[in-house]
Each structure stands twice: as C-alpha cells, then as structure tokens.
Amino acid sequence: MLYWLSWQIILLPLFKMIRRLFSTLITDYPPVGEFLPAASTNPSQSAQNGSANNGGVTTFRSPHLESLNWLHTVSPCFPVSGDRIEIIYEPSAFYNTLVSKCSVAKRRIMLASLYLGIGSKETQLVNAIHDNMKQNLQLKVDVLLDFTRGTRGEKNSQTTLMPLLRESDNFRLSLYHTPVLRGLTKKLAPPRWNELLGIQHMKLYLVDDTVIISGANLSNDYFTNRQDRYVMIEDAKLADFYADFLNKVQEFSLKVNRNGEACLHENWNMLPYKSAQVDFAGEARERIRSYFKGVLERQRSVCEEDTVSDTWIFPLIEMGQLGIHHDSLATKHLLSGCLKDSKLKLATGYFNLTETYMDTLTKDCQAECNILMAHPNANGFLGAKGPAGGIPAAYSLIARKFYEKLKQSGQDHRVSLFEYERPGWTYHAKGLWYYLPDSSLPNVTLIGSSNFGERSVNRDLEAQICVVTTNGGLQRKLQSEFENILQHSTTAEAELTARPVPRWVRAVVGLFRNFF
C-alpha cells in the first residue's frame, strides 16, 4: 500500500503537468459552423416521408430503405453497381492488390496514410511505383502522410520516398502538419508525444479509377498479421471525387521539395505552426466545405436520374481541429436511428467511444448490438515502453465502465461485447454493419479510418464511407467479412469485469482519454 501511495504521489503530478503542457499551450479549436446541412433531428421522420423525390430532397426508391433517406441530405451520394465493389479479407491480399495495381497504373496513383513503413514489403511497394514511373512518363503519383509520424526517426517515410521525388516532377509528397502543434509545444514535445496533438489519419488509396478505402496504414504489420478492413471500388466518378478531395488537403499540407525541405503549397500562404490557428483552420475548413457542397449539389441530380444502381456510397470526413464535424454527426444519426428489431455490429480497434456515442447506444439505439474490440493481447500497444504500455489496460477499463453503464440502464441484454484474439495477430478493424428489420444480411456498412473515439472526433483527419446496398452478392460479402473477424472473437463481459487494471492506469485514464 505504501509502495502504491509513493508512486501515486510521484506519477499523478507528473501526468497532470504533461497534460497541462499540452492543454494550456494549445489554442482553442475554431468555432464549429455548419459543414453540410444537418439531417432531421428525428430519424424516424425520414421513414415516414420516403419517396423517390420528396419536396426536392433526394430519397431512396426502395421503401425498404426509407429510414436511411436522411443520408442524401448530409453527404454527396455516388450510385454504383454492387458488382463493382470487392471486399478484401486479409492483410496479405490487401498488400498484393496494392502492389499489382500500382505496378500497372496508367494515369494516377494517390496514397493517403498516416505513414509508410521502412521494411522490405514497403520497399517492394515503392519499387513497384518507381519502376512504373520510369516506364510510363504520364503517370502522376501523389502521397499524403502525417508530418510528425512521417518524419519520425533518422530513416522514415520521407527518406524512403526521396529518391522518387528527386527523380521525377510527376511525384509529389505532402505532409499534413496539425495547426495545433506550435510554439513551445512544438519545441518541447518529443517524437511520438507530438503525435498526441493531432495527425493525418485517413487511409485512401487510389489507382486510376480504383478506390481502396481502409483503416490500414502502409507498413509491414498491416500487410501481414494486423487485421483490418478493406473495400475496393471500381468507379471513375468516385475516384475523381477522392482525387480532387486529396488535392484540397494537399493545399494546406506541407510540400516536400527535392532538397527534403517542407514548404508551403503554391496555393497556400499560411504555415500551420506560425500563422494564427483560427485563420489556418478557418481557411482550410472553408475550402473543404465549399468542395463538398459543390459535389453534393452535382450528385443530387445524378442520383435522381439514376434508376439502375443497387448500391449508394456516401463519403464522410472528420477534421475536428479544423472545425469540421461531419462523420461523427452522421454516425450518431445512424446509431440513434437504428430501428426496433434491427441488428448492429460495431467494431473498433481501440475501445474509447466518445461519451456521445456511448449515450446514443445506451439510450437511443433500438438495435440488437454486438460491439467488437481488441483483446489486450491483440492490441498494438501491448508491451510498449513507458506510459504507452498501459494503453491496453486503459481501453479495458473504459470498456468495463461502458458495460457497467449498460447494466445500470438495463440495456445489457441488448448490447453484447466481444474481444478479438488471434495468436500472433493484432487487431485494427473498425466500422459497422447494420441490418434493417427482417434482414439477415447487412444493408449498410461504415468503413474507413475512424475508431469512433475522442481522437477521431476531435484531433485527427478521418475519412470513411457509408455504403447502402440492396445487392445480394455484396451483402453476402459483407456478412462473410464480419464472420471472418468474429471467428477469432469471444464474449468479453466476464473477462472485462475480472481483468485487473493497474492502479496508475485508473488514476490517469481520465486525464488523457482525449489523447488516445
């Protein structure tokens, strides 16, 4: 007991001091305005008014999808054939697909990720791109990574890509630098710690007219034994949308020149760490908002004229530090609008759901819910040095408190918790599968980079898509995807309740919950 008290006396002031350093030196987030029109505050209202065109508002033609009509008001819609969508189940298949696609790309390759690893598999991917560029002088390649993660260490993502950058004008490397990392915080926060403040976390991979949306980074673990999700879509309009979107993000990111220096994009005049944070965030937000708004209006007429598609894709983004809350509002609306007798499967690599999401699942969601998360043995932070080594225990503690909240609310019969554990593997899959009443297969899925946590909503750049489908083949693939993950999972309630959590973790998790 005395040993614990002595450590508590030492650690608590230290953690509080570190948190104070981050919080007091950071300018407040920019004010949040309307990004795109908000959905109806009453999700059931959409179900009552469903039609092909409801007072100028685009809706689904199928009465079965009426409760989802609100999606057309909050995001651009891209109607496609479900036969043009493939679900990739394994990391090795994801890697092989990337290499093969990049090897034969004709016009463009655009890769957006947190970072690019420096191992042999990553080198093989870079070499495939490099060889293709030598043979095809028309090929343009853009890579968008996070500044802090992409430059960490002497050998890093940037150094790995510099040969391509020096050799060709058709290769562009952009590094997103959060406007929050500035002043004394930028000078004093060491590597890894500076990533707590905000990162580029989107995972979007474009090759010509192929779009791969995932939660996986470009590194060895994600190519071998780290379970994630990956959806590949063949559609020129969607690919063009994401290409133009990434170009917009590159404008307010730093451009790396041939000397390895990070400088301003030619269409931008504010350094993220020197200009006023509210000015930087406001201008970046307006450029993204204006782009989305234009696409939303254009795609509305496309959807109204379409009569053959069986699948609809709604791009969602979240850039909390820029005042953009889009994905989180749509996700909350989807959760709160789950109908009675429906089913919901939700997955997250890191169980740190926002209070809003937990309240919505507990109080408003009517679906029978299964929530899948990583067992501590499958958590990527297991065995990490320093305070990061306590993160798996912190996630377990948050999950336990959520389970206790469910019991207190009398909802534990409706919501079940599962943990993924597979020998030699870690878990990083996230998203959801939604089954409308009387449906044995998923009608909706969310897939992308968001973990539905505090970071995803308030700190990082995130991108995911909402896919609505009546295509039986695609629905069966989505069902197989979930079953493939679930087969390595077990119910978690009993173990969560009994699992020990270090006292120091219990003492500090509340202080740092918004940072992991």
Side-chain angles (χ1 to χ4, degrees):
M1 184 66 178
L2 288 175
Y3 176 80
W4 155 241
L5 287 175
S6 63
W7 273 106
Q8 189 178 39
I9 291 171
I10 295 171
L11 287 175
L12 273 179
L14 175 63
F15 283 124
K16 288 181 178 179
M17 181 184 70
I18 295 172
R19 192 185 192 286
R20 191 178 301 116
L21 171 68
F22 284 127
S23 59
T24 59
L25 298 180
I26 295 172
T27 308
D28 289 339
Y29 297 142
V32 178
E34 182 184 80
F35 178 62
L36 289 176
S40 166
T41 55
N42 180 7
S44 62
Q45 195 170 19
S46 298
Q48 298 168 5
N49 298 327
S51 62
N53 189 295
N54 178 21
V57 177
T58 306
T59 60
F60 293 108
R61 295 181 182 274
S62 170
H64 189 53
L65 303 177
E66 286 177 356
S67 63
L68 302 169
N69 283 336
W70 59 271
L71 281 164
H72 287 280
T73 69
V74 301
S75 174
C77 176
F78 292 84
V80 300
S81 166
D83 296 336
R84 305 286 289 173
I85 300 177
E86 289 295 330
I87 305 299
I88 301 173
Y89 299 103
E90 297 291 337
S92 58
F94 166 60
Y95 173 71
N96 292 334
T97 300
L98 274 179
V99 173
S100 63
K101 290 282 186 183
C102 290
S103 298
V104 297
K106 302 299 182 183
R107 296 179 291 110
R108 63 185 173 195
I109 297 174
M110 302 188 78
L111 308 176
S113 185
L114 172 61
Y115 69 103
L116 170 74
I118 57 176
S120 59
K121 285 188 173 295
E122 299 91 316
T123 300
Q124 184 180 343
L125 174 61
V126 173
N127 288 342
I129 296 172
H130 198 177
D131 291 343
N132 194 355
M133 292 184 72
K134 292 176 182 177
Q135 298 172 12
N136 179 6
L137 299 182
Q138 304 304 313
L139 179 63
K140 294 187 176 181
V141 180
D142 289 83
V143 178
L144 171 65
L145 305 172
D146 180 68
F147 178 88
T148 53
R149 184 64 180 87
T151 59
R152 185 208 294 174
E154 187 174 342
K155 187 177 181 182
N156 53 49
S157 306
Q158 179 178 323
T159 60
T160 300
L161 293 169
M162 284 307 298
L164 283 72
L165 182 59
R166 292 193 175 106
E167 187 172 304
S168 174
D169 290 333
N170 284 347
F171 184 89
R172 179 167 57 175
L173 173 60
S174 301
L175 302 174
Y176 172 79
H177 187 298
T178 172
V180 175
L181 183 61
R182 56 179 53 236
L184 288 177
T185 310
K186 182 174 173 63
K187 291 180 180 179
L188 298 177
R192 297 181 187 269
W193 286 88
N194 56 12
E195 296 167 31
L196 292 173
L197 303 183
I199 53 176
Q200 193 304 103
H201 197 245
M202 301 183 294
K203 287 70 184 273
L204 301 168
Y205 308 116
L206 280 66
V207 182
D208 292 333
D209 292 335
T210 300
V211 182
I212 298 178
I213 297 178
S214 178
N217 291 302
L218 299 174
S219 67
N220 182 72
D221 289 356
Y222 294 91
F223 297 153
T224 53
N225 61 348
R226 188 157 172 76
Q227 183 65 58
D228 216 302
R229 299 181 65 203
Y230 335 82
V231 60
M232 182 169 67
I233 307 163
E234 302 280 355
D235 186 75
K237 288 185 178 180
L238 185 68
D240 289 344
F241 164 80
Y242 274 114
D244 291 341
F245 166 67
L246 289 176
N247 284 334
K248 292 294 181 184
V249 178
Q250 285 177 303
E251 288 181 6
F252 52 83
S253 300
L254 298 173
K255 181 179 70 174
V256 180
N257 64 24
R258 290 188 173 186
N259 296 323
E261 301 165 336
C263 52
L264 288 173
H265 188 279
E266 54 269 20
N267 295 333
W268 192 261
N269 61 7
M270 291 181 282
L271 283 170
Y273 47 86
K274 286 190 175 180
S275 60
Q277 183 180 340
V278 68
D279 293 339
F280 182 96
E283 177 61 23
R285 175 184 175 278
E286 178 54 30
R287 293 195 186 190
I288 297 296
R289 187 201 68 82
S290 178
Y291 173 67
F292 258 75
K293 184 179 179 181
V295 178
L296 176 67
E297 294 172 353
R298 183 177 72 241
Q299 288 301 118
R300 182 173 292 129
S301 61
V302 173
C303 290
E304 290 173 356
E305 295 170 4
D306 176 72
T307 59
V308 297
S309 297
D310 56 21
T311 302
W312 301 266
I313 298 171
F314 299 87
L316 304 170
I317 62 168
E318 193 81 1
M319 300 178 173
Q321 292 183 342
L322 304 181
I324 297 175
H325 293 289
H326 179 225
D327 174 64
S328 61
L329 297 178
T331 300
K332 179 182 182 296
H333 200 81
L334 182 59
L335 296 177
S336 63
C338 288
L339 303 174
K340 185 179 180 181
D341 298 324
S342 65
K343 296 188 293 292
L344 177 74
K345 322 289 186 183
L346 187 147
T348 175
Y350 308 112
F351 191 91
N352 186 19
L353 301 185
T354 66
E355 290 294 336
T356 296
Y357 288 155
M358 286 196 282
D359 286 344
T360 302
L361 286 167
T362 304
K363 300 174 183 177
D364 302 323
C365 181
Q366 298 185 63
E368 176 187 317
C369 300
N370 291 340
I371 299 179
L372 178 59
M373 68 195 89
H375 186 280
N377 292 335
N379 191 294
F381 288 98
L382 184 69
K385 296 179 181 179
I391 290 179
Y395 289 132
S396 290
L397 178 62
I398 295 170
R400 180 196 300 175
K401 290 183 176 180
F402 176 58
Y403 178 58
E404 292 170 352
K405 182 176 183 177
L406 289 171
K407 289 198 296 183
Q408 293 170 0
S409 302
Q411 296 296 312
D412 53 312
H413 69 285
R414 185 179 57 82
V415 182
S416 301
L417 306 181
F418 294 83
E419 288 183 329
Y420 177 101
E421 184 177 17
R422 183 178 180 184
W425 284 61
T426 56
Y427 178 78
H428 198 248
K430 70 270 293 185
L432 63 77
W433 301 255
Y434 176 50
Y435 306 65
L436 289 165
D438 301 321
S439 179
S440 59
L441 297 171
N443 304 98
V444 180
T445 190
L446 289 184
I447 180 171
S449 62
S450 175
N451 284 296
F452 307 114
E454 296 289 346
R455 285 196 64 97
S456 296
V457 173
N458 293 314
R459 300 199 175 279
D460 301 337
L461 304 192
E462 305 283 10
Q464 65 177 346
I465 56 172
C466 178
V467 180
V468 179
T469 186
T470 59
N471 182 289
L474 178 56
Q475 288 178 284
R476 286 187 288 273
K477 292 175 186 176
L478 290 169
Q479 179 67 15
S480 296
E481 177 195 34
F482 180 75
E483 292 175 351
N484 182 58
I485 299 173
L486 190 65
Q487 68 175 322
H488 302 291
S489 307
T490 56
T491 55
E493 290 89 350
E495 188 172 347
L496 278 174
T497 303
R499 184 178 297 151
V501 175
R503 290 179 176 177
W504 74 267
V505 172
R506 279 185 270 167
V508 304
V509 67
L511 294 172
F512 283 92
R513 186 179 169 189
N514 291 344
F515 291 94
F516 64 86

